Amino acid sequence: AALAAAALVAVVPSAAAAPESAWEMNATEQNATAPPSLVSAASVAGCPPPGFASQQRFDLGDFVHRPWYVQQRMRGAGKTPSMSNLCIVVVYDMRPRRSFWGYDITLQVRSRDDRFPHAWSSRDDFCARIRDRYTGKFTVAKCSTPSVFAGKYWVVAHDEQEGFAIVSGGPPTRPSSGVGCATGMGNDSGLWLMTREQRRDEFLLEKARSRAMDLGFSLSVLEDIYQGECSDINFDGDFHV
């Protein structure tokens, strides 16, 4: 959205309401069907491509159990926690219970400043609410923002064996200047290509880019994130990367 990263009408949750479990789910947002296999569907039938869907049979436990390194992201995504282009790494930290504002996950984001001496910065003020844990649908915003105002944050591809994931700000709803579609630039915006390993693997990144194109996304909106000289980063808790 980062990670990357990572944004906004309904009634604000009552303070007296008991928080739901972090693993308790709302009803599925929609009955998704299999995504198209060719990007040509986007250019012929419009945006989003017919049948566009998030990841089916999504495994939330697999997705959150290790850090993700952002290799490419959409330029100017509204809810990206870090605007740096250096060493962006995201940890999804499950909360023991849903927060007062309705969030289940805290996004821990670390990155280096683009400017010399490239100091590390740390943010944990973005949170996610699970909307459908079985198809990878979340909404994300500042943790202090009621979750009813949060923007879409969908895992549209997750291959744990290959070690990559693609996250978008919901369906790509507008035609891109290149081939394919892109998300908007407001609340429901963003596209992130992430890998489990920090070191850039061109072959694996090309697989992720090909998957994104198959889903109907334009690759022209993406920018590279530099993941070199990032080994001195630390996370709180059990994560040391």
Side-chain angles (χ1 to χ4, degrees):
L3 145 217
L8 299 169
V9 180
V11 179
V12 174
S14 168
E20 303 170 52
S21 163
W23 299 96
E24 188 176 354
M25 289 310 308
N26 291 347
T28 304
E29 291 186 15
Q30 63 183 40
N31 294 322
T33 56
S37 59
L38 294 174
V39 72
S40 57
S43 56
V44 172
C47 300
F52 180 87
S54 57
Q55 175 70 53
Q56 304 301 288
R57 297 184 295 277
F58 177 71
D59 190 319
L60 178 59
D62 275 353
F63 185 76
V64 304
H65 86 285
R66 288 176 56 200
W68 286 103
Y69 298 91
V70 180
Q71 302 293 344
Q72 291 188 329
R73 70 164 177 208
M74 178 180 169
R75 290 181 294 275
K79 57 177 177 286
T80 304
S82 171
M83 295 311 295
S84 167
N85 285 332
L86 300 178
C87 308
I88 302 177
V89 55
V90 184
V91 166
Y92 297 87
D93 188 14
M94 293 295 305
R95 302 175 60 90
R97 61 183 297 182
R98 182 165 285 174
S99 73
F100 173 74
W101 291 121
Y103 294 105
D104 307 306
I105 301 170
T106 300
L107 278 65
Q108 297 186 54
V109 182
R110 304 291 185 269
S111 63
R112 294 193 99 144
D113 198 313
D114 291 336
R115 299 160 297 183
F116 184 82
H118 308 301
W120 284 107
S121 63
S122 171
R123 296 191 66 170
D124 58 4
D125 58 342
F126 274 70
C127 287
R129 178 172 178 134
I130 301 168
R131 295 297 178 181
D132 188 338
R133 66 170 297 173
Y134 301 108
T135 58
K137 291 180 179 178
F138 308 86
T139 51
V140 166
K142 291 284 190 73
C143 300
S144 57
T145 300
S147 61
V148 293
F149 300 122
K152 291 184 180 69
Y153 190 84
W154 289 10
V155 180
V156 296
H158 173 215
D159 191 321
E160 193 65 27
Q161 184 172 358
E162 291 280 4
F164 75 85
I166 303 171
V167 178
S168 76
T173 56
R174 65 183 179 92
S176 169
S177 56
V179 176
C181 304
T183 62
M185 298 301 293
N187 193 30
D188 296 330
S189 66
L191 181 63
W192 296 267
L193 275 56
M194 310 185 295
T195 61
R196 283 298 192 195
E197 298 302 321
Q198 182 181 45
R199 176 179 235 165
R200 184 179 175 117
D201 180 329
E202 294 294 346
F203 181 72
L204 181 59
L205 182 57
E206 195 52 44
K207 278 190 175 182
R209 286 170 57 85
S210 178
R211 181 75 67 85
M213 186 179 289
D214 288 347
L215 288 167
F217 286 101
S218 169
L219 303 183
S220 65
V221 302
L222 295 172
E223 64 181 0
D224 286 329
I225 303 300
Y226 180 65
Q227 289 289 354
E229 302 176 20
C230 307
S231 60
D232 55 342
I233 188 170
N234 273 289
F235 277 90
D236 298 331
D238 298 329
F239 297 101
H240 299 283
V241 297

